[in-house]
Amino acid sequence: MRPIEPTAFQRGFGTLSEAERDEIRRIEAAPVQHFGPRRVVIRQNAQFGSAHIVAKGWLAEQKLLHDGRRQILNFRLPGEIVGLEGLAYSKAVFSIVTLTDVELVPVSREAFEHLQRRSPRLASIIFIRAFQTQVILREWELNLGRRDAFARLVHLLLELHRRLRDLGMAKQCRYGLPLTQEELADCLGLTPVYVNRMLKRAREEGLAHFEDRTIVFDDLDRMRQIAGFNAYYLQPDRDPERTTAPPPQ
Amino acid sequence: MRPIEPTAFQRGFGTLSEAERDEIRRIEAAPVQHFGPRRVVIRQNAQFGSAHIVAKGWLAEQKLLHDGRRQILNFRLPGEIVGLEGLAYSKAVFSIVTLTDVELVPVSREAFEHLQRRSPRLASIIFIRAFQTQVILREWELNLGRRDAFARLVHLLLELHRRLRDLGMAKQCRYGLPLTQEELADCLGLTPVYVNRMLKRAREEGLAHFEDRTIVFDDLDRMRQIAGFNAYYLQPDRDPERTTAPPPQ
DNA sequence: CGCTCCTTTGATTCTGGTCAAGGCATGTGG
DNA sequence: CCACATGCCTTGACCAGAATCAAAGGAGCG
């Protein structure tokens, strides 16, 4: 059962005309696809299929090296569209895998082209949203290139907290984190053993600890300070409606 | 003197209608801005001005940490548009700086909005191009997170070679690289001293060496092998024209 | 000539990787 | 219900890749 009420995908679209609402409904009308955890949705080097709206669950983008080393590039959460690179590339240059149970609404290239023709304004809003993804990738580059292991881990935990909170998926000081330490390591460019040591350090320093599979923050302020965390990059604050609206005339 | 003939910006637009050509001319008609090397075009945390088409020269995107450490996030070369994030963010989340003498054609938000209204198809092509930038950022994440210092350096040199060759700015086996070792280090998440050692190693192993300010490749094949370099990610092979064209009916 | 900036090299340190083993929970089949 | 396997977490001992510190050698320039 998909909710009748606004889906996460619709957040931030602003005021829509009736025709635009129809277009969104049309896109979201495709049958939901269910995936279990640790499944491949889009496989690196394989031919691109359709893009997908994330309706539920966590996904990760990842790239593999020939020897099997893995880098997780970004997380993708409900409301986002994954696989739009397929508009530019015929083969996937990175994989998209599920981390939890996931529900996806496929958006075929034809459906997206239809949207572009029928409502270029909506298409633009979707494209402009993709700039947030770009900005997150750049923050990850900074994290990987210039922060030490501890600050790197702390920064990642804070980023996820903020993103989940915006989706109503995190409490003030905790959230379920469906990652093994090995997967955390693959986000951070570290080894699982060292991630374990950094988590221990965070615990011992009274910053955060795990209970079951949820991370609990014990000193958010100090964590923000350690990581140099500034959430602005996660909150695009320019109204795409304004950008794409007809002129005031 | 800007060339009258197709600018790099126009590469890949495919067949254009007369109206679309007019729109491009209109955008490119703005007075060119000249910058010397090592100037800031867009400053992290400052209010966004306009986006810019790169007409000539090299730019870098970079992010700073509070203690002054720097990560270079990507290079921007002729034909690309920088600063489109300004459509989503009112303040810049990273800086854009020049590395060489640079010529930029400013594209104000108003001008871009005008383009979106008058030719949504062109706007879409520009947005879809931005996916190549995204993909490059992800390759950099992989580079920073999962390749060792030597492979990292080699990969960067190969990526630049390919990008420059596509622009006619590199020969088969050499190109001018306007970077200090310190700047290379800031691309690679390393220290200048260690970059120097890796360059020495590349030289001693007969892979590549510098002459003046140009890098000369002595064994491209072996370098590709060391870095696991696959240029596909630099060549979006899906025709945006097809994606955005009206239906065959 | 005397800056300054960049490159180069050596000596040393340390962050994070590697290797190895044990613990603990969950699950499964006999 | 127990024996065993599996996957993940944890810890210790040791190692190595990259950082740091320090100094000297060019090259360009006012």
Side-chain angles (χ1 to χ4, degrees):
Chain A
M1 286 286 96
R2 206 124 41 85
I4 310 287
E5 287 321 297
T7 58
F9 174 60
Q10 295 172 33
R11 287 161 44 97
F13 277 137
T15 321
L16 298 177
S17 70
E18 193 50 48
E20 286 171 333
R21 253 190 298 267
D22 278 346
E23 289 302 322
I24 292 186
R25 274 190 218 110
R26 183 192 199 95
I27 290 275
E28 290 191 318
V32 179
Q33 294 178 359
H34 293 257
F35 291 82
R38 274 74 195 180
R39 297 301 161 79
V40 178
V41 175
I42 293 176
R43 187 180 306 273
Q44 189 174 350
N45 299 324
Q47 211 67 21
F48 253 113
S50 48
H52 301 269
I53 296 170
V54 183
K56 200 190 114 192
W58 292 51
L59 298 106
E61 300 174 343
Q62 62 177 44
K63 252 182 128 138
L64 294 178
L65 248 27
H66 302 125
D67 62 2
R69 275 177 295 175
R70 167 172 75 162
Q71 178 65 42
I72 293 179
L73 308 165
N74 190 15
F75 294 108
R76 305 306 302 264
L77 299 172
E80 303 182 22
I81 303 188
V82 303
L84 274 188
E85 312 77 38
L87 296 174
Y89 293 85
S90 63
K91 287 188 305 179
V93 293
F94 55 90
S95 297
I96 298 184
V97 302
T98 64
L99 296 170
T100 63
D101 280 319
V102 159
E103 293 179 9
L104 299 179
V105 181
V107 180
S108 67
R109 196 151 43 251
E110 293 69 32
F112 195 82
E113 287 166 15
H114 179 98
L115 178 73
Q116 282 181 299
R117 287 190 303 273
R118 292 283 294 271
S119 179
R121 199 182 79 92
L122 272 184
S124 280
I125 292 176
I126 290 170
F127 283 133
I128 289 173
R129 271 197 200 187
F131 286 112
Q132 184 189 9
T133 304
Q134 281 206 14
V135 159
I136 291 174
L137 297 178
R138 288 182 175 96
E139 186 67 38
W140 281 47
E141 282 186 80
L142 178 62
N143 215 25
L144 289 164
R146 287 298 182 213
R147 278 193 265 257
D148 68 22
F150 191 57
R152 219 133 109 191
L153 170 65
V154 170
H155 196 280
L156 178 66
L157 294 175
L158 291 174
E159 174 182 305
L160 278 170
H161 184 225
R162 184 44 174 257
R163 289 175 68 179
L164 291 167
R165 228 153 38 103
D166 289 344
L167 293 167
M169 293 167 68
K171 305 239 178 80
Q172 276 300 332
C173 287
R174 60 170 63 213
Y175 60 92
L177 184 61
L179 299 177
T180 64
Q181 292 180 6
E182 185 175 0
E183 287 161 336
L184 275 174
D186 287 334
C187 296
L188 298 170
L190 300 170
T191 56
V193 174
Y194 207 65
V195 166
N196 184 282
R197 289 183 173 128
M198 293 301 104
L199 284 171
K200 181 184 181 186
R201 183 171 153 198
R203 197 186 325 134
E204 287 175 351
E205 292 189 15
L207 296 173
H209 65 279
F210 271 92
E211 291 176 10
D212 193 18
R213 303 246 101 201
T214 95
I215 175 89
V216 181
F217 294 116
D218 300 312
D219 192 341
L220 270 174
D221 282 344
R222 204 142 60 82
M223 288 179 74
R224 292 200 185 97
Q225 191 184 328
I226 286 167
F229 183 77
N230 176 344
Y232 177 68
Y233 74 104
L234 294 173
Q235 330 177 265
D237 57 351
R238 173 104 58 203
D239 187 355
E241 205 183 348
R242 188 194 149 273
T243 303
T244 54
Q249 187 70 279
Chain B
M1 286 284 98
R2 202 126 43 86
I4 311 287
E5 286 322 297
T7 58
F9 174 59
Q10 293 172 34
R11 288 161 43 97
F13 276 137
T15 321
L16 299 177
S17 69
E18 193 50 48
E20 287 171 334
R21 253 190 298 267
D22 278 347
E23 288 303 322
I24 292 186
R25 274 190 218 109
R26 185 193 200 93
I27 290 276
E28 290 191 317
V32 179
Q33 295 178 359
H34 294 256
F35 291 82
R38 274 73 194 180
R39 297 300 161 80
V40 178
V41 176
I42 293 176
R43 185 180 307 274
Q44 188 174 349
N45 300 324
Q47 211 68 18
F48 254 112
S50 47
H52 302 268
I53 296 169
V54 183
K56 201 189 112 190
W58 292 50
L59 298 106
E61 300 174 346
Q62 62 177 42
K63 251 182 129 138
L64 295 178
L65 249 25
H66 302 126
D67 62 2
R69 276 178 294 175
R70 168 172 72 160
Q71 178 66 40
I72 293 180
L73 308 165
N74 190 15
F75 293 109
R76 306 305 303 264
L77 299 172
E80 303 181 25
I81 303 188
V82 304
L84 274 188
E85 312 76 38
L87 296 175
Y89 293 84
S90 63
K91 288 188 307 181
V93 293
F94 54 90
S95 296
I96 298 183
V97 302
T98 64
L99 297 170
T100 64
D101 279 318
V102 160
E103 293 179 8
L104 298 178
V105 182
V107 180
S108 67
R109 197 153 40 251
E110 293 69 31
F112 196 82
E113 286 165 15
H114 179 97
L115 178 73
Q116 282 181 299
R117 288 190 302 272
R118 292 284 293 271
S119 178
R121 199 182 79 91
L122 272 183
S124 279
I125 292 177
I126 290 171
F127 283 134
I128 288 172
R129 269 196 200 187
F131 286 112
Q132 184 189 7
T133 303
Q134 280 206 14
V135 159
I136 292 174
L137 297 178
R138 288 183 176 96
E139 187 67 38
W140 281 48
E141 282 186 80
L142 177 63
N143 215 26
L144 289 164
R146 287 300 183 212
R147 278 193 264 257
D148 67 23
F150 191 57
R152 217 133 108 191
L153 170 64
V154 170
H155 196 280
L156 178 67
L157 294 175
L158 291 174
E159 173 181 307
L160 279 170
H161 184 224
R162 183 46 173 258
R163 289 176 69 179
L164 290 167
R165 229 154 36 104
D166 288 345
L167 293 168
M169 293 167 69
K171 304 238 179 82
Q172 276 300 331
C173 287
R174 62 170 63 215
Y175 60 89
L177 184 60
L179 299 177
T180 64
Q181 293 181 6
E182 184 175 0
E183 286 161 336
L184 275 174
D186 287 333
C187 296
L188 298 169
L190 299 169
T191 56
V193 173
Y194 207 66
V195 166
N196 183 281
R197 290 182 171 127
M198 295 300 104
L199 285 170
K200 181 185 182 187
R201 183 172 152 197
R203 196 187 324 132
E204 288 175 351
E205 293 189 14
L207 297 173
H209 66 279
F210 270 92
E211 291 176 10
D212 193 16
R213 303 246 103 200
T214 95
I215 175 90
V216 181
F217 294 116
D218 300 313
D219 193 341
L220 269 174
D221 282 344
R222 204 142 61 81
M223 287 179 75
R224 293 200 185 97
Q225 193 184 325
I226 286 167
F229 182 76
N230 176 344
Y232 176 69
Y233 75 102
L234 295 173
Q235 328 177 266
D237 57 353
R238 175 111 48 208
D239 186 355
E241 205 183 345
R242 189 196 150 270
T243 301
T244 53
Q249 188 74 280

